[in-house]
Amino acid sequence: MTPAFGRVFFLFQRVLLRGASLLVPRRQRAEWWREWDSERWHVRQSYVPLGATSWQVSWQAECAVTSFCLGAFKDALCLRRHSRQKEPFASLRGSAAQCILWLVAALAASYAISLLLPGVRAENQPSRYQVNSGLILIQDARVHNDSVATIPLEQYREWKGRTQRYFDGLAFYRINKETVSTGVHAQVGWEVAHASSNLFALLGLPVRFIHPDGDADGNMPRLILSDEVWKGAFGGNPQIVGSVLRVGRYQARIVGVVPNGAWRLPGKADAWLLEPDYEIDAGGMGHVVAHLTLLGQSEMQAPHVEITARDPDDAEDDLWGASLEERTRGPWDNFLFAIFLALLALPAITSVSTGEYGLSVHQPSWSGKLCRWGFLCAKLVLLLPIVYFSSLDLAYWHTAFYSLGSEYVQLVSSFSICLFGLRWVLLDQRQRCPVCLKVVTNPAQVGQASRTFLAWNGTEMMCLGGHTLLHVPGFSTSWFSTQRWLYLDTSWGFLFAGSGAGMKNEAITGSSTH
């Protein structure tokens, strides 16, 4: 091959590399060009023999060098794709800002779900749970399910007709399926609670849109609608209050609407038919609510007290008197109690220490320490509402009204999420550099387990910003029982020149040496 033909190949190969360099990001282009041009020179020296006269040998060598130069395009495209994927969020990866953003996203998601669930919306209004103090729900002690009606109407009437020492008020209700006829919706099946006329007054439950003439019609039963039926069957029209409906064999006047979530007693009712005790149909079991006198409240301090089946003042068969104040607790009570239990159980599953930071002239200033503790407090502040809304979402995702089972689900889920959430907060804090608050990476096993008492054994991780090294012992010993941080001075900056913090350290080192 003639020298002129070899120069043509040489120029063509450089043009290929120069064209491939245009695909490389601008800030990396000069260094990339120098590396590939030097590699091309080495490849050419290896493949093109000096003084070669054979056309076939020279042609094969030039083709090999050209093929090498064509591979630069693939490398340039790969580098460009990698830089595009890395640049937008490279600075956030493992940083404190990324952690806070994830927690904010989790809080926003749990809160958005709670707004979509009607049961959670009802639970988030604790003012609806206030009832008169000293109320108990009387039930048969032999029945462990508090949602089952256990008191016959005849028994309630017998109690109501006697002089009581512990009770100054009794109310009865029984839920039956009734056909309701209206001008718009005819023959609609509702779950109607046939209740004594003093039920809502005894409970002290709020009633919206109370009809002023509701008490004037003494001979006509009063009907109170649930919020769900009022919105579903009547479109939320407040003008429906005062109209008359046919409920079963009764003509009843609508006198108000119960707010959503206010009814927390056993049974789900679409409406409450308030009528005198003598007009309630006999037969079937119901629920009895009693109000304790001052003497009864002083003698019956426990949440559950034993009374009788025939007479609350005579001891015959046992019943349970369950305090309604226990049932009307808002979700915040369960949430705060779950947090208290989680704090007590936390030391049993993880160490509450964040490690030893030691003494060094290179450790962060007071502002850096405030940032570290402020970051820890920020995680805790964001964790608590996440626990609250997530537990409510789990408890009421399948139901729109209160149930004792949902209350237990909220308590257990609050405790579990809070416990493991606090554990994550501590574990995350222990793996963050005290200077830049980034997660340390690149774990390396150091030492041997058999030489634990002679030399250090454990895991070593580093901050990619060149600030610290983290030493985590493999076994807890008397001289190395917890993790320790080793602060690096600025002389280590050249090893971390790839990161912004590393280049900053390198600049500081360079300025100090001049």
Side-chain angles (χ1 to χ4, degrees):
M1 180 179 296
T2 61
F5 195 74
R7 285 194 296 271
V8 172
F9 266 100
F10 175 78
L11 294 175
F12 177 68
Q13 292 158 5
R14 287 181 62 90
V15 169
L16 288 177
L17 290 181
R18 185 61 70 178
S21 67
L22 297 177
L23 300 176
V24 179
R26 183 181 299 275
R27 61 184 181 183
Q28 299 174 331
R29 187 173 301 167
E31 183 179 359
W32 184 92
W33 163 258
R34 287 193 299 268
E35 291 181 0
W36 272 89
D37 191 50
S38 62
E39 289 295 331
R40 182 201 57 78
W41 184 86
H42 284 289
V43 171
R44 187 174 182 82
Q45 293 298 319
S46 300
Y47 280 93
V48 181
L50 294 176
T53 57
S54 174
W55 174 271
Q56 184 177 4
V57 173
S58 300
W59 174 260
Q60 292 177 351
E62 293 293 348
C63 288
V65 177
T66 303
S67 178
F68 169 79
C69 293
L70 289 174
F73 286 91
K74 185 177 180 180
D75 179 74
L77 290 173
C78 181
L79 183 60
R80 189 176 187 87
R81 287 195 301 268
H82 179 70
S83 63
R84 284 180 175 178
Q85 295 174 357
K86 185 178 179 181
E87 283 176 1
F89 304 104
S91 59
L92 286 178
R93 187 173 295 113
S95 65
Q98 183 190 42
C99 179
I100 295 297
L101 287 176
W102 278 114
L103 289 176
V104 170
L107 174 58
S110 60
Y111 179 69
I113 294 175
S114 68
L115 294 178
L116 299 176
L117 298 177
V120 180
R121 292 199 303 268
E123 287 297 307
N124 281 328
Q125 300 184 20
S127 60
R128 298 177 177 176
Y129 312 142
Q130 298 176 359
V131 296
N132 295 332
S133 60
L135 291 172
I136 65 171
L137 179 68
I138 301 176
Q139 294 177 288
D140 192 337
R142 293 167 296 184
V143 179
H144 300 288
N145 187 359
D146 64 351
S147 63
V148 177
T150 58
I151 308 298
L153 179 62
E154 294 80 2
Q155 184 65 68
Y156 160 73
R157 288 174 176 171
E158 182 180 351
W159 289 344
K160 192 75 177 290
R162 294 184 180 184
T163 302
Q164 304 292 336
R165 182 176 61 174
Y166 294 121
F167 304 100
D168 57 8
L170 293 169
F172 176 87
Y173 73 93
R174 181 180 66 237
I175 299 179
N176 294 332
K177 189 79 171 183
E178 297 287 355
T179 300
V180 180
S181 300
T182 66
V184 180
H185 302 279
Q187 306 298 321
V188 179
W190 286 1
E191 295 290 339
V192 178
H194 294 263
S196 55
S197 57
N198 66 331
L199 175 64
F200 278 76
L202 186 69
L203 294 175
L205 291 179
V207 179
R208 301 162 58 191
F209 314 115
I210 298 179
H211 190 260
D213 299 331
D215 296 331
D217 301 330
N219 297 327
M220 181 175 291
R222 294 170 295 161
L223 186 67
I224 299 179
L225 304 177
S226 66
D227 185 77
E228 182 180 359
V229 167
W230 175 60
K231 291 180 180 179
F234 302 102
N237 182 15
Q239 301 300 325
I240 194 66
V241 177
S243 59
V244 177
L245 297 181
R246 183 170 187 82
V247 182
R249 62 183 182 88
Y250 297 96
Q251 292 285 341
R253 183 179 301 278
I254 301 176
V255 295
V257 178
V258 176
N260 188 22
W263 179 262
R264 300 170 74 86
L265 272 68
K268 180 181 181 297
D270 297 319
W272 292 263
L273 186 66
L274 306 183
E275 47 192 330
D277 296 338
Y278 59 87
E279 291 188 4
I280 301 177
D281 292 337
M285 299 293 183
H287 302 273
V288 174
V289 179
H291 183 265
L292 293 169
T293 62
L294 294 178
L295 175 62
Q297 295 183 35
S298 62
E299 295 187 8
M300 302 179 182
Q301 296 295 330
H304 297 80
V305 294
E306 289 189 5
I307 54 179
T308 67
R310 297 301 175 191
D311 189 340
D313 292 332
D314 299 331
E316 296 180 8
D317 297 330
D318 290 337
L319 292 179
W320 283 111
S323 173
L324 292 188
E325 295 180 2
E326 294 294 318
R327 296 183 60 93
T328 55
R329 294 180 305 179
W332 278 101
D333 300 315
N334 294 328
F335 172 66
L336 295 177
F337 182 62
I339 291 178
F340 175 72
L341 293 180
L343 291 175
L344 292 180
L346 183 62
I349 63 173
T350 186
S351 173
V352 295
S353 172
T354 57
E356 298 179 4
Y357 291 89
L359 297 176
S360 173
V361 296
H362 304 287
Q363 65 181 353
S365 60
W366 282 106
S367 60
K369 294 179 181 179
L370 288 177
C371 289
R372 183 172 74 241
W373 289 107
F375 174 63
L376 176 61
C377 294
K379 289 190 293 185
L380 293 175
V381 169
L382 289 173
L383 175 67
L384 295 182
I386 291 175
V387 174
Y388 176 74
F389 289 114
S390 299
S391 61
L392 285 180
D393 294 342
L394 292 175
Y396 292 94
W397 69 271
H398 64 292
T399 179
F401 57 91
Y402 168 83
S403 67
L404 194 59
S406 298
E407 187 174 344
Y408 290 147
V409 170
Q410 190 219 348
L411 179 62
V412 173
S413 58
S414 296
F415 169 75
S416 303
I417 299 175
C418 184
L419 178 62
F420 290 100
L422 291 174
R423 181 176 183 270
W424 169 82
V425 167
L426 291 176
L427 291 177
D428 179 74
Q429 191 74 11
R430 284 200 290 264
Q431 294 186 355
R432 290 191 174 270
C433 173
V435 178
C436 64
L437 295 180
K438 281 194 173 184
V439 178
V440 292
T441 56
N442 302 324
Q445 197 69 26
V446 180
Q448 299 177 355
S450 60
R451 295 173 58 85
T452 299
F453 296 100
L454 300 177
W456 184 78
N457 168 54
T459 304
E460 182 180 90
M461 291 178 282
M462 68 175 65
C463 170
L464 292 182
H467 302 121
T468 54
L469 291 177
L470 176 61
H471 299 280
V472 182
F475 298 94
S476 178
T477 61
S478 59
W479 65 280
F480 209 130
S481 59
T482 186
Q483 67 179 34
R484 296 177 183 174
W485 291 94
L486 174 64
Y487 293 95
L488 303 178
D489 56 32
T490 53
S491 62
W492 292 78
F494 73 96
L495 293 177
F496 305 92
S499 62
M503 289 187 287
K504 182 179 179 181
N505 286 343
E506 186 178 13
I508 295 174
T509 305
S511 62
S512 62
T513 57
H514 288 291

